[in-house]
Amino acid sequence: MNSLKKPQKKKVLLMGKSGSGKSSMRSIIFSNYVAKDVRRLGATIDVEHSTVKFLGSLILNLWDCGGQDAFTETYLTSQKSQTFSDVGVLIYVFDVESRSFEGSNPRDLLTYTAVISALAEYSPSAHVFALVHKIDLVQNVFRDSVIQDRTLAIQEYSGVFSKKLKVYGTTIWDQSLYKAWGDIVKSLVPNLHIIDGYLHDLAEETSAEEIILFERATFLTVTNVTSELGERNPYSDRQERLSNVIKTFKHSLSKYTHSSTASHPFSEIAIKAPRFNLILARLTNNTYVLVILPPGDLEIELSRFNIMAAKDRFVELDIMGWAAGDTERLEGKLNGRIKDGR
Amino acid sequence: DLEPGNLLHADHKPRLLLMGLKRSGKSSISNVVFRKMAPHETLFLETTTTIRKEAMHSFMDFQVWDLPGQIDYLDPDFDAESIFGGVGAMIWVLDAIDNYMEPVSRLTETILHLQHSYPDIKYSVFIHKVDSLTEDFRDDTMRDVRQRITDDLYDAGLENPPITYYGTSIYDHSIFEAFSKVMQGLVPQLPTFEALLNTVSANCRFEKAYLFDVYSKVYIASDTTPVDMKAYELCADLIDIIVDMSEVYGWDRGQDQQETDRSQAVAAPSAESFVSNIKGYHLYLKEINRSALRAQVRQGFRLTIYRNLSFIGISKYSDFEISKVLVDQNMQAFQDTLLKVFPRG
Ligand SMILES: Nc1nc2c(ncn2[C@@H]2O[C@H](COP(=O)(O)OP(=O)(O)OP(=O)(O)O)[C@@H](O)[C@H]2O)c(=O)[nH]1
Ligand SMILES: Nc1nc2c(ncn2[C@@H]2O[C@H](COP(=O)(O)OP(=O)(O)O)[C@@H](O)[C@H]2O)c(=O)[nH]1
Ligand SMILES: [Mg+2]
C-alpha cells in the first residue's frame, strides 16, 4: 500500500515582468496573506523557489521566476533546458498597466513568445495560463473589452499553445484571483473524475442542491456537483466568491486564536437561512465540503449525519499519487457512476 | 431640542455629518461602510460637489451626510440650520498623510462657530488613512493632532470639548469599529442593551457578545467586557460570509422551492449560523428581526438581502454545542425584550 502515498510532483512556472504581481498572488493563494497585507509589503516579498502542497500529496514546485531582464535572459539561454523541462503548467502574468504590451515594440509579448517557444521545445504537453493582472486598475465598464483585446493579442503570440491557452483577468482585490487559480490547480489534479463520482454519491444521499469540495489550505475549489435546480442559480461566480470570503475568515480566525493557519481552522460552519441550509464541514485532512440544502431543521441534521458517514470513503481520495491499479479499484467502488471526467 | 428621547421620534432621524477637507476620504468611508464598495475601488471616486445623503435602516433610521470639502459652511449667508439643525454627531475626517495644519484649524473654527447654536453635537475626529503610516508614526500623529486641537480650543476658551479621536483606514476594520462607536453615541438605550447583553453572556457563557447591523457591520452595542479588536474582526468576517452566502444561495427558487420544501411551515423564522470548534471556540449568530428589504448592492443588481440586526456571541465553553437548546431559549427571551425596548416604526 506504500505506493499509494507516493506524492506527485508537478512543476509550475510562474513568469512575467518584474512588478507584474507574481509574488503577491502567490502569497495570497498559498501563504496566509490577504490582499491588504500584500499592498503594504509592496514588492519586497520575493522568494524564487517554493514548494507548496495541494490536497496533501500533490506537490507543486513553484518557480517564481524573477522578471527582471537579466534573469529572463538566462532562463532563455544557459538555463533553458533546466527551466523548461518537465513543466506541468506555465502561468504567465501580464501587468494590465504595462506600457510595453502593445505598440511598435511590444516587449512583453516578445518575451512571452520566447518563453512559449522554449516551452514548446521542452514541455509540449504543458498547460498555459495567461493572467492579465491588476485588472482593478481598469474601470469596471471597460474590463471586459480590455480582457478581450489582450486575449486576442496574447493568442497571436502563443504559437502551438494558442488553442489550449486560457486567459483570465485577475486582481488580488477580488474573487477573480481564485477563479484563475482554481482552474490552474484543477488542471493538475489527477483522477478528478473519481472525486467527482464520490461527490455525486454524496449529493444523492443528501439531496443537495450543490456540493463544493474545497482544498483545505488554499480554499480553492477542487470540484463540484450541482443539481438541476442548482444550475439555475444566477450567481455564476459563486465558487470563487466563497473561496475568497472563507479564506479571509480563516485569516481572522488564526489571528484570533493565535494559531497557524496550516492546521484546521474550524470543524464546521452551518447556516440556517429562510431559503436554504448550508453546511461547510471538514471532510478529510485536506478538504472541506460545502453542502447546500433545502431549508428546514430536519434537512440539516440528516445531512450532517450523511457527511459524517461519507468521511471514511473520502479519506482514500486524499492520496493523490495512486498507482495504476488503484485508479481502477477506486473506480470500481463507484458502481459505474462516473460521469465524464473533465 | 435634541433630547435623547426625541431621537426616536418617527420623523426625526438622527443625523451624522461627515466633514473634512477635499480628498480626505469622506466619500470613500461612506461608500465602503454603507455601500459595500471594495476599498481599492475608491481610487476612482471623484470629488463630491453636492451633499450626499445615505440612509441606514437598521433598528433605527440613521442618516449619514457626506459634505463636500469645497463648500464654506462658515459663510454667514449659508443656511446652517438646514444642515446642522438636528445633527447628533459630526465626524471630521482628517487625512493623516497630508499636512494637517489646515484641517485642524478648519475643525476648531467649525466647532467654535457651531457651539453656541448647536451645543449638543458630539464630535469625532477620524485621523484617516493610517494604513499608510508606520505604527510609531501613527501614534505620534494621533497624539499631535489631538494636542493641537485641544490647545487651539483651549486658547479660544473652550475647555474639555466633546471630541473623541480614532485612527481609521478603509483597508481594515478600523473604520467599522470607529463608526460603531460613533453610532453608539446616538443610541439612547445603549445602557439597556449593554445590560441585556451582559445577562445573555452570563447565562449562555459567551466571552463576548455583540449586536450588529449586519449590512454595514457596524455594531450597535456589545457587552461591557473590554473591547477586543480581533474579536470584532472575527465577527465582521463571519458576517461577510453570511451575507455573501445568503446572497449567492438566497435566490428565488420560485415554484421548485415550494414543491421540495415541505418543511417551509416549520422553517426557522430567521437566519441563524453556528461555527463550531475553532480551536475550542464557538461562534454563534442569530438574526433578531428579519425583514427583507430591497437594497441596491454589488454591480447595480437589485437583490433581496436581510438587512437587520444580529446577535453574535463568542464562546469558549466546551459543551456549547450540547447546551444549544438553552442558548436558543435565552436568545428568544433576549429578542423579546429587545423588541420591547425598541419598537419598530
Ligand atoms: N491609503 C488610504 N487611502 C484612502 C483611504 N480612504 C480614502 N483614501 C483615498 O483618498 C482619496 C480621496 O477620497 P474621497 O473619499 O474622494 O475624499 P472626499 O473627502 O470625499 O473628498 P471631496 O469629495 O473632494 O471632499 C481616494 O483616492 C481614496 O482612495 C484610506 O483609508 N487609506
Ligand atoms: N492594483 C494592483 N496592484 C497589485 C496587484 N497585484 C499586485 N500588485 C502590486 O504590484 C506590485 C508588485 O507585485 P509583486 O507581487 O512583488 O510582483 P512580482 O515582481 O511579479 O513578484 C506590488 O506593489 C503589489 O502590491 C493587483 O491585483 N492590483
Ligand atoms: Mg467626496
Side-chain angles (χ1 to χ4, degrees), chain A residues 264-323:
Chain A
H264 285 89
F266 56 86
S267 45
E268 184 187 288
I269 297 181
I271 301 177
K272 280 193 228 169
R275 283 183 170 163
F276 66 93
N277 269 319
L278 174 153
I279 302 179
L280 173 62
R282 179 182 162 180
L283 187 65
T284 68
N285 270 339
N286 298 304
T287 54
Y288 276 86
V289 69
L290 175 114
V291 185
I292 302 297
L293 303 155
D297 281 338
L298 194 62
E299 270 77 2
I300 205 161
E301 291 309 329
L302 265 173
S303 298
R304 189 171 283 140
F305 178 79
N306 281 323
I307 293 171
M308 292 294 284
K311 276 185 182 175
D312 287 344
R313 274 184 277 150
F314 277 88
V315 165
E316 290 196 69
L317 297 180
D318 265 2
I319 301 151
M320 302 301 301
W322 296 317

Side-chain angles (χ1 to χ4, degrees), chain A residues 31-46:
Chain A
S31 316
N32 199 43
Y33 282 86
V34 286
K36 60 173 192 271
D37 296 342
V38 173
R39 181 174 143 276
R40 195 172 308 131
L41 294 171
T44 48
I45 326 156
D46 194 48

Side-chain angles (χ1 to χ4, degrees), chain B residues 128-146:
Chain B
H128 190 56
K129 310 190 189 178
V130 289
D131 57 281
S132 312
L133 304 179
T134 61
E135 210 146 298
D136 285 352
F137 200 60
R138 172 186 315 187
D139 294 344
D140 287 350
T141 305
M142 292 199 45
R143 202 173 309 121
D144 195 39
V145 166
R146 183 188 204 127

Side-chain angles (χ1 to χ4, degrees), chain B residues 23 25-28 45-49 66-69:
Chain B
R23 310 300 293 161
K26 303 178 291 295
S27 306
S28 306
L45 284 178
E46 277 162 24
T47 195
T48 316
T49 51
D66 174 3
L67 301 195

Side-chain angles (χ1 to χ4, degrees), chain A residues 14-28 35-47 64-68 93 95-97 132-138 170-174 176-177, chain B residues 40 43:
Chain A
L14 186 54
M15 297 186 130
K17 207 166 62 167
S18 161
S20 55
K22 301 181 293 296
S23 315
S24 305
M25 56 173 91
R26 203 198 55 212
S27 33
I28 291 172
K36 60 173 192 271
D37 296 342
V38 173
R39 181 174 143 276
R40 195 172 308 131
L41 294 171
T44 48
I45 326 156
D46 194 48
V47 193
D64 183 347
C65 305
Q68 286 162 42
V93 185
D95 182 341
V96 75
E97 282 219 308
V132 179
H133 192 57
K134 306 193 189 175
I135 197 73
D136 60 284
L137 297 174
V138 177
T170 55
T171 162
I172 56 172
W173 293 110
D174 67 26
S176 59
L177 193 67
Chain B
H40 64 274
L43 290 173

